[in-house]
């Protein structure tokens, strides 16, 4: 009885922490903007009182907690996820994602302790909820990179037309930054700012390639660097790259259309056991209860869950075609 009381109290505390974390995420942007304005005003007052060197170096903050930021800065995996966060352009740092992941793991574990005695099923929700914040981050990155890929042919055509009209290459970058929406306008604008601040053009383009996970952008960067060293008709080269990217994008859409039937089949096969199990449980609960009230039934459910996970991975590999 004491153990159940402790577990229930821990679950209540976990739910409360999760509630506080969600509230912090909802109001973090507004508080962050107000705090940023306040800090800038304080720095301006201090600069007016005394002369001191002001650093304009761009810094990446992995966590607002100093010791956690120092610890994450030494880890390779945290730098990798920070790169993914920058590609996704979200206002959540890695420390906040770790907090949400930890709260999700503890909360799901305590709930599974109350629900089931199967030691094989207890870790599964914890793993899912623990990875959920990082899965959300990957989803945002994938969506943003897909939008960048869709906008890239139009941006290359705009640069090619600007070069044919007699404008400089940097002016073509400026036209893309000013006339095209995010994310491609934002990324080209950041690259143009780096060039204006004195960074070499090849380095600035390499930085954009690091910020954007787009293989087609590499052709653009290599062609610009080769043309600057050997010469040639850059407008024609960029125009050809734009047509190539557009044709490949159309072909990828055609392949996705042909693979849609296989994806629908995979979704149906994955959902069918759950639907059938729920229907049997509603029609004959005593017959279905043997699966989760006996050790043999728990073993069968665990084995089925593992096999379904392996089957889902296999189906994902079959219906995913890289172009």
């Amino acid at each position: 009885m004491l153990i159940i009381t402790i577990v229930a109290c821990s679950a209540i505390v976990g739910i409360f922490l999760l509630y506080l974390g969600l509230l912090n995420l909802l109001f973090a942007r507004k508080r962050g903007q107000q705090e940023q304005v306040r800090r800038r005003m304080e720095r301006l007052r201090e600069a007016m009182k005394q002369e001191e060197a002001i650093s304009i170096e761009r810094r990446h903050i992995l966590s607002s907690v100093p010791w956690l930021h120092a610890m994450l800065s030494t880890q390779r995996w945290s730098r990798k996820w920070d790169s993914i966060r920058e590609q996704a352009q979200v206002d959540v740092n890695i420390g906040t994602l770790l907090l949400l992941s930890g709260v999700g793991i503890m909360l799901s574990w305590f709930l599974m302790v109350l629900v089931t005695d199967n030691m094989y099923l207890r870790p599964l929700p914890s793993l899912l909820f623990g990875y959920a914040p990082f899965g959300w981050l990957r989803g945002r990155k994938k969506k943003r990179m897909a939008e960048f890929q869709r906008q890239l042919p139009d941006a290359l055509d705009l640069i090619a037309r600007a070069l044919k009209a007699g404008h400089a290459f940097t002016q073509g970058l400026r036209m893309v930054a000013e006339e095209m929406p995010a994310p491609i306008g934002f990324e080209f604008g950041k690259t143009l700012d780096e060039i204006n601040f004195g960074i070499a053009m090849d380095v600035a383009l390499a930085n954009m390639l690091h910020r954007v996970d787009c293989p087609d952008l590499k052709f653009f960067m290599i062609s610009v660097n080769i043309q600057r060293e050997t010469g040639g008709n850059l407008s024609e080269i960029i125009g050809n790259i734009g047509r190539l990217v557009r044709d490949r994008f159309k072909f990828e859409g055609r392949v996705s259309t042909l693979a849609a039937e296989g994806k629908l089949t995979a979704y149906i096969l994955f959902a069918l056991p759950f639907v059938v199990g729920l229907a049997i449980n509603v029609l004959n609960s005593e017959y279905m209860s043997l699966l989760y009230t006996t050790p043999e039934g728990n073993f069968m459910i665990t084995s089925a869950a593992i096999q379904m996970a392996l089957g889902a991975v296999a189906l994902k590999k079959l219906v995913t075609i890289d172009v």
Side-chain angles (χ1 to χ4, degrees):
M1 186 66 183
L2 180 60
I3 297 177
I4 297 177
T5 304
I6 294 175
V7 171
C9 293
S10 302
I12 293 173
V13 173
I15 294 174
F16 179 70
L17 292 177
L18 178 62
Y19 176 73
L20 292 179
L22 293 176
L23 287 179
N24 184 50
L25 284 179
L26 290 176
F27 298 101
R29 178 177 296 181
K30 183 176 181 180
R31 290 199 306 267
Q33 293 176 351
Q34 294 176 353
E35 182 66 19
Q36 186 178 13
V37 172
R38 186 186 64 81
R39 288 198 302 266
R40 288 181 177 178
M41 294 301 296
E42 290 181 355
R43 287 198 298 266
L44 181 60
R45 296 191 193 98
E46 293 177 359
M48 294 176 63
K49 293 180 180 179
Q50 55 182 359
E51 296 181 357
E52 58 180 4
I54 300 177
S55 175
I56 60 173
E57 181 183 1
R58 183 188 301 164
R59 292 185 176 90
H60 293 287
I61 299 178
L62 300 179
S63 176
S64 56
V65 181
W67 66 267
L68 184 57
H69 170 74
M71 183 186 70
L72 293 176
S73 299
T74 60
Q75 303 296 321
R76 180 178 298 178
W77 64 269
S78 61
R79 294 194 296 269
K80 174 184 176 181
W81 280 105
D82 185 63
S83 177
I84 295 176
R85 184 201 62 80
E86 185 177 3
Q87 292 172 355
Q89 283 296 307
V90 296
D91 296 333
V92 182
N93 55 42
I94 303 300
T96 303
L97 292 177
L98 284 177
L99 174 63
L100 291 175
S101 178
V103 171
I105 290 174
M106 291 188 298
L107 180 60
S108 58
W109 177 265
F110 288 141
L111 291 178
M112 289 301 294
V113 168
L114 296 176
V115 171
T116 180
D117 294 332
N118 192 341
M119 296 301 297
Y120 298 100
L121 291 179
R122 286 180 181 178
L124 296 180
S126 299
L127 294 176
L128 293 176
F129 281 96
Y131 184 73
F134 298 96
W136 168 79
L137 185 63
R138 279 190 177 276
R140 289 292 299 270
K141 173 216 170 184
K142 183 178 180 180
K143 182 178 179 180
R144 187 171 183 268
M145 293 301 101
E147 182 66 18
F148 185 94
Q149 176 77 20
R150 187 186 64 82
Q151 294 175 337
L152 183 60
D154 295 333
L156 296 180
D157 290 343
L158 182 59
I159 295 175
R161 290 195 297 269
L163 294 175
K164 290 180 180 179
H167 297 287
F169 177 72
T170 54
Q171 185 62 31
L173 296 180
R174 184 180 300 278
M175 293 174 65
V176 174
E178 293 178 352
E179 297 184 11
M180 296 199 66
I184 198 166
F186 174 79
E187 296 296 340
F188 272 79
K190 185 180 291 186
T191 301
L192 184 63
D193 292 338
E194 291 181 353
I195 295 174
N196 292 334
F197 275 110
I199 298 179
M201 184 176 297
D202 54 346
V203 177
L205 293 176
N207 292 338
M208 181 171 63
L209 186 64
H210 176 73
R211 294 192 306 268
V212 178
D213 186 12
C214 180
D216 294 329
L217 188 64
K218 189 173 183 179
F219 297 110
F220 169 71
M221 183 195 72
I222 293 175
S223 63
V224 171
N225 292 335
I226 292 177
Q227 191 274 340
R228 292 180 63 247
E229 295 179 1
T230 61
N233 192 346
L234 183 59
S235 62
E236 183 178 355
I237 295 174
I238 294 178
N240 292 334
I241 294 175
R243 286 191 295 271
L244 177 64
V245 173
R246 184 175 284 107
D247 292 340
R248 196 179 74 85
F249 190 73
K250 292 179 180 178
F251 182 71
E252 185 177 359
R254 190 177 298 112
V255 171
S256 299
T257 302
L258 295 176
E261 182 180 355
K263 292 181 181 180
L264 180 60
T265 304
Y267 294 150
I268 294 175
L269 290 176
F270 188 76
L272 186 61
F274 297 98
V275 176
V276 174
L278 181 61
I280 296 176
N281 190 55
V282 172
L283 297 176
N284 193 350
S285 60
E286 293 182 0
Y287 175 77
M288 194 69 179
S289 63
L290 295 176
L291 282 177
Y292 44 83
T293 57
T294 61
E296 294 82 3
N298 291 333
F299 177 76
M300 293 178 63
I301 290 179
T302 304
S303 301
I306 295 175
Q307 294 177 26
M308 288 188 64
L310 295 176
V313 173
L315 289 175
K316 177 66 174 177
K317 294 292 184 180
L318 288 175
V319 299
T320 301
I321 302 175
D322 295 329
V323 179

